[in-house]
């Protein structure tokens, strides 16, 4: 024992959420001191611990995953362990808190602690949870293999407290043995050789000391995995599963979508018939009902998408998909941990970007953030469906695969491929760094819990409807106003009628009616939105878009689904008052430009889908990127590079398609 | 100005106010800091 200090010093080290603080509180009682380490905001907690009569000062180190000393927490922990932290003597013993439910991950830190030459005693937490999960640990075997004492502890019941104190006393002055072999000079050592040596050792330790009561389940899972994670067949099955999912989304959602469509159409007609004609009726029918209804009809597809995502996640297949993609992702330089944030981005890029916080390296994390919005989020689904529904409904490949489902799979696949290419470029230019290794645990397959699945769908439906009732409603009203103001005054219409009567040789009533019809058709053209659309038309004309679509593209920068609302309002505004509400799909198909030509073609539909896939059109995502990267540089870069990419791709597709005769 | 026009202007005014307040509101839901990785760059 080091005699330079009177009392003993014991450091408590462990992963975040391993139960370290609960154990610290249980061992020190209420006599702990909380302060900051000098000069930094990392919390320093210490308190007295009675070790069977001997007083010790227990230091709670910051929660750590490793001791690579790349983060502030790791640097401080390392300084405390080697005795370089001012005011804290070098620890006599380290108590490593290990969460038994995450044994592999927690033991990685322990293997690093062995290398400091300070005796280590392991406190094994969460044993009750682990046993509930039908697993068992042979504590003695674990201790033998790790060559250190291992004590199961339960902070709530004080289980193992005395034994832990006894083992700590016994360990003082001993020298730990590094239980795994690593030869840095070996030819195959490589840059990550030591990391692999630690994980190989951990894997052997866990295999020899942990039993799974659900072993039969694991054996079946292993057999299924031989096929589902196969290099070639695994990928074929993955594509097949995705195709099946989107085929189902399309065919199953059709009936409820048609019903919702008719319901909103009926509501529009009923409202127009019940209310007196005027500006308020126009706002309610063409602004509110058309705008909100246009988005709400896609609820069945959103629900089905989340039904399948939940089923795939709960059954354990999603982890296999991650495993299949990991090889590809590590080849382009993305961290294996990037897969889950990217998968979350299929629902929405915001939780996906927030989920990147689990990636340790800043460069790996930023690369993932920069490519996450390429994953087709649920807000793009209504736009894809609108285009597919308008131009590709009822078309089949090989007699049974619907072109719509195929196009949808392609949109998702193009998003993933673009994300991979973008990450490849970023990791070799702006965010250059070697990819760290990644170890992944595949859970056994199981029957999905229907309650969890439906709960997830319910939550998603709630969020979607909340957005429709707040953000989409607000934007629909503002868009309607932008498309309807400035309006011609009655005096201007009367003057126009007098002018018409002078030239057309018609009755005053006929001239008045003609003036009012002209005024109505001019509303959109001369409205604020119409003027904005006209202003940007020269820029978007090469992509095949006219000023009306320009309004839609601009409005979609608030939220992508607003494009559908805008189209819905746009094609309601220019319509004759007496006409019945036609479906949005027919509105898009039959829309004509100022010369009476059809605006939309299947080629333009595909180009629009690609624009929405590539362009960064979500202000909320940009706000989160700003927050998560702590700088405006990254969100502005994201906006610029994604918008440029969208423009270039759509230009190439539209002009190329036209040259080939598809225009 | 007719009553309908006044109601429409009021609705548009409320929508613009709501839109602006939503846009400038501090996004509390984004401040959840869970499982922050080491050196993650989020300024924790």
């Amino acid at each position: 024992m080091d005699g330079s200090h009177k009392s003993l010093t014991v450091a408590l080290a462990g992963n975040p959420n391993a139960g370290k603080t609960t154990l610290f509180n249980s061992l020190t009682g209420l006599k702990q001191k909380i302060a900051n380490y000098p000069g930094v905001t990392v919390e320093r907690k210490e308190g007295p611990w009675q070790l069977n009569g001997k007083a010790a000062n227990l230091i709670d180190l910051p929660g750590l995953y490793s001791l690579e000393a790349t983060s502030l927490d790791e640097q401080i922990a390392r300084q405390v362990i080697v005795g370089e932290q001012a005011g804290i003597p070098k620890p006599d013993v380290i108590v490593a808190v290990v969460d038994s439910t995450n044994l592999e991950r927690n033991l990685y830190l322990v293997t690093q602690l062995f290398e400091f030459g300070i005796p280590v005693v392991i406190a094994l937490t969460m044993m009750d949870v682990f046993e509930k999960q039908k697993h068992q640990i042979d504590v003695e075997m674990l201790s033998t293999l790790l060559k250190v004492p291992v004590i199961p502890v339960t902070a709530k019941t004080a289980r193992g407290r005395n034994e832990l104190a006894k083992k700590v006393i016994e360990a003082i002055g001993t020298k730990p043995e590094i239980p795994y072999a690593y030869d840095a000079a070996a030819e195959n050592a490589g840059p990550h050789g030591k990391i692999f040596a630690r994980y190989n050792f951990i894997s052997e330790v866990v295999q020899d000391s942990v039993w799974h009561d659900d072993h039969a389940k694991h054996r079946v899972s292993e057999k299924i995995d031989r096929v589902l994670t196969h290099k070639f067949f695994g990928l074929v099955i993955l594509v097949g599963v995705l195709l099946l999912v989107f085929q189902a989304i399309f065919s199953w959602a059709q009936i409820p979508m048609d019903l919702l469509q008719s319901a909103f159409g009926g509501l529009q007609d009923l409202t127009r018939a019940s209310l007196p004609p005027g500006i308020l009726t126009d706002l309610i029918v063409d602004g509110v009902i058309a705008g909100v209804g246009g988005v709400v009809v896609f609820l069945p597809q959103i629900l089905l998408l989340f039904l399948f995502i939940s089923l795939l996640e709960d059954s354990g297949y999603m982890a296999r998909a991650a495993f299949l993609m990991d090889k590809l992702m590590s080849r382009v330089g993305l961290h294996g941990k990037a897969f889950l944030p990217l998968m979350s981005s299929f629902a929405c890029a915001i939780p996906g970007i927030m989920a990147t916080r689990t990636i340790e390296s800043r460069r790996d994390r930023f690369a993932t953030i920069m490519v996450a919005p390429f994953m087709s989020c649920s807000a793009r689904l209504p736009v894809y469906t609108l285009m597919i529904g308008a131009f590709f409904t009822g078309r089949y490949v090989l007699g049974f695969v619907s072109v719509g489902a195929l196009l949808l799979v392609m949109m998702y696949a193009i998003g993933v491929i673009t994300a991979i290419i973008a990450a490849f470029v970023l990791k070799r230019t702006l965010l250059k760094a070697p990819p760290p290794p990644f170890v992944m645990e595949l859970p056994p397959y199981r029957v999905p819990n229907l309650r969890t699945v439906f709960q997830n769908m319910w939550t998603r439906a709630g969020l979607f409807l909340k957005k429709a009732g707040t953000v989409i409603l607000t934007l629909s009203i503002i868009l309607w106003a932008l498309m309807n103001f400035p309006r011609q005054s009655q005096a201007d219409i009367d003057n126009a009628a007098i002018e018409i009567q002078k030239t057309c040789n018609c009755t005053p009533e006929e001239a008045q009616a003609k003036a009012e019809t002209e005024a109505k058709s001019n509303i959109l053209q001369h409205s604020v939105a119409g003027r904005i659309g006209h202003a940007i038309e020269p820029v978007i004309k090469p992509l095949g878009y006219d000023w009306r679509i320009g309004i839609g593209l601009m409005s979609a920068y608030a939220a992508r689904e607003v494009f559908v609302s805008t189209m819905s309002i746009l094609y309601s505004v220019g319509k004759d008052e007496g006409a019945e509400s036609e479906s949005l799909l027919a509105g898009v198909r039959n829309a004509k430009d100022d010369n009476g030509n059809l605006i939309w073609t299947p080629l333009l539909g595909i180009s629009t889908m690609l624009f929405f896939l590539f362009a960064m059109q979500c202000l909320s995502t940009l706000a989160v990127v700003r927050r998560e990267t702590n700088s405006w540089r990254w969100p502005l870069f994201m906006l610029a590079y994604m918008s440029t990419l969208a423009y270039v791709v759509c230009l190439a597709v539209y002009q190329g398609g036209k040259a080939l005769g598809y225009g | 100005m007719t009553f309908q026009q006044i109601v429409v202007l009021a609705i548009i005014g409320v929508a613009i106010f709501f839109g602006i307040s939503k846009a400038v509101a501090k996004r509390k839901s984004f401040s959840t800091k869970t499982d922050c990785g080491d050196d993650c760059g989020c300024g924790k």
Side-chain angles (χ1 to χ4, degrees), chain A residues 8-75:
Chain A
L8 297 167
T9 302
V10 179
L12 204 58
N15 285 188
N17 305 319
K20 197 162 57 70
T21 305
T22 316
L23 182 64
F24 177 81
N25 291 342
S26 157
L27 296 176
T28 59
L30 298 170
K31 294 170 193 163
Q32 49 188 269
K33 279 193 293 181
I34 301 173
N36 277 351
Y37 284 99
V40 292
T41 54
V42 176
E43 201 174 74
R44 168 179 165 176
K45 267 165 88 178
E46 53 184 284
W49 180 22
Q50 285 304 316
L51 290 169
N52 299 349
K54 283 191 181 183
N57 188 29
L58 187 64
I59 299 162
D60 188 10
L61 294 178
L64 307 158
Y65 289 106
S66 73
L67 281 165
E68 309 292 349
T70 50
S71 75
L72 196 57
D73 285 1
E74 288 168 357
Q75 281 168 24

Side-chain angles (χ1 to χ4, degrees), chain A residues 17 71 74 276 278-280 283 350 354 357-358 360 362 365-366 474 477-478 481 485 623-624 627-630, chain B residues 4-5 7-8 11-12 15-16 18-19 27 29-44:
Chain A
N17 305 319
S71 75
E74 288 168 357
I279 192 170
L280 182 60
L283 169 64
I350 292 168
M354 287 176 68
R357 287 177 177 188
T358 51
E360 284 86 353
R362 179 183 162 275
R365 180 167 181 264
F366 281 18
T474 308
I477 293 170
I478 296 171
F485 290 101
V624 174
R627 194 192 150 77
E628 294 296 311
T629 59
N630 222 7
Chain B
Q4 277 209 11
Q5 283 170 330
V7 173
V8 167
I11 293 172
I12 294 168
I16 292 172
F18 181 74
R27 292 167 189 281
S29 56
F30 300 152
S31 64
T32 340
K33 288 200 168 185
T34 51
D35 290 336
C36 226
D38 309 314
D39 190 28
C40 70
C42 63
K44 65 173 179 172

Side-chain angles (χ1 to χ4, degrees), chain A residues 313-600:
Chain A
E313 247 173 19
D314 232 33
S315 62
Y317 183 72
M318 206 66 113
R320 272 74 189 176
F323 176 78
L324 279 169
M325 296 303 292
D326 177 50
K327 269 186 190 168
L328 186 63
M329 294 213 306
S330 58
R331 238 176 249 171
V332 300
L334 272 183
H335 194 289
K337 281 185 189 170
F339 186 79
L340 282 176
L342 292 180
M343 285 303 282
S344 311
S345 301
F346 278 126
C348 176
I350 292 168
I353 287 167
M354 287 176 68
T356 60
R357 287 177 177 188
T358 51
I359 301 171
E360 284 86 353
S361 150
R362 179 183 162 275
R363 282 164 186 262
D364 287 336
R365 180 167 181 264
F366 281 18
T368 313
I369 289 175
M370 286 296 124
V371 303
F374 282 123
M375 302 292 127
S376 281
C377 63
S378 55
R380 285 167 171 120
L381 194 59
V383 181
Y384 293 161
T385 315
L386 176 65
M387 295 296 124
I388 291 170
F391 305 110
F392 302 98
T393 307
R395 295 193 196 181
Y396 290 90
V397 181
L398 303 171
F400 66 97
V401 180
S402 99
V403 172
L406 205 60
L407 274 174
L408 210 50
V409 171
M410 276 173 67
M411 283 300 135
Y412 280 76
I414 293 170
V416 174
I417 293 165
T418 312
I420 287 171
I421 296 170
F424 181 83
V425 175
L426 283 169
K427 280 303 298 276
R428 272 153 193 80
T429 52
L430 290 176
L431 297 165
K432 210 169 180 177
F438 174 57
V439 176
M440 191 174 188
E441 194 184 342
L442 294 178
Y445 290 99
R446 58 177 181 200
V447 178
N449 182 339
L450 288 182
R451 202 180 148 173
T452 316
V453 169
F454 286 112
Q455 219 161 27
N456 194 12
M457 280 172 71
W458 180 251
T459 311
R460 283 288 152 188
L463 286 174
F464 182 76
L465 290 175
K466 192 182 164 199
K467 198 174 178 185
T470 52
V471 180
I472 308 281
L473 172 67
T474 308
L475 289 170
S476 293
I477 293 170
I478 296 171
L479 279 167
W480 178 87
L482 290 174
M483 288 182 207
N484 277 273
F485 290 101
R487 288 168 91 89
Q488 269 181 281
S489 68
Q490 196 55 46
D492 288 339
I493 296 171
D494 293 344
N495 287 338
I498 295 166
E499 289 299 318
I500 289 169
Q501 203 187 351
K502 280 181 192 166
T503 54
C504 80
N505 194 22
C506 48
T507 62
E509 289 75 26
E510 283 169 347
Q512 187 70 26
K514 203 168 180 188
E516 277 180 14
T517 310
E518 266 180 23
K520 210 161 188 52
S521 69
N522 281 339
I523 286 178
L524 187 61
Q525 182 96 258
H526 298 291
S527 66
V528 177
R531 282 162 210 251
I532 296 171
H534 279 295
I536 62 164
E537 197 175 26
V539 182
I540 57 172
K541 195 83 192 161
L543 310 182
Y545 303 142
D546 76 338
W547 60 274
R548 291 178 189 83
I549 303 176
I551 299 173
L553 294 182
M554 292 295 290
S555 65
Y557 274 86
R560 290 186 177 94
E561 311 94 310
V562 177
F563 178 78
V564 177
S565 302
T566 313
M567 291 293 115
S568 200
I569 298 168
L570 208 62
Y571 298 130
S572 295
V573 168
K575 211 177 55 199
D576 290 341
E577 219 156 85
E580 274 203 7
S581 302
E582 60 180 354
S583 76
L584 178 57
L585 297 183
V588 170
R589 260 194 301 262
N590 303 329
K592 294 196 170 97
D593 65 13
D594 301 334
N595 302 320
N597 300 318
L598 284 175
I599 296 173
W600 291 91

Side-chain angles (χ1 to χ4, degrees), chain A residues 16-19 97-106 123-126:
Chain A
N17 305 319
V97 182
V98 168
D99 171 4
S100 49
T101 61
N102 276 306
L103 209 53
E104 279 100 335
R105 196 184 73 194
N106 280 242
L124 205 57
T125 60
M126 317 269 183

Side-chain angles (χ1 to χ4, degrees), chain A residues 13 15 64-70 74 77-78 81-82 94 96 105-118 120 146 176 178-180 194-195 198-199 201-202, chain B residues 38:
Chain A
N15 285 188
L64 307 158
Y65 289 106
S66 73
L67 281 165
E68 309 292 349
T70 50
E74 288 168 357
R78 187 175 262 269
I81 292 168
V82 296
I94 298 172
R105 196 184 73 194
N106 280 242
L107 284 179
Y108 185 79
L109 177 69
V110 175
T111 57
Q112 286 187 309
L113 291 173
F114 289 149
E115 292 162 19
F116 287 90
I118 300 170
V120 174
L146 292 170
I178 297 177
Y180 65 92
K194 202 166 190 180
I195 297 171
R198 286 183 192 133
Y199 273 119
F201 166 69
I202 291 167
Chain B
D38 309 314

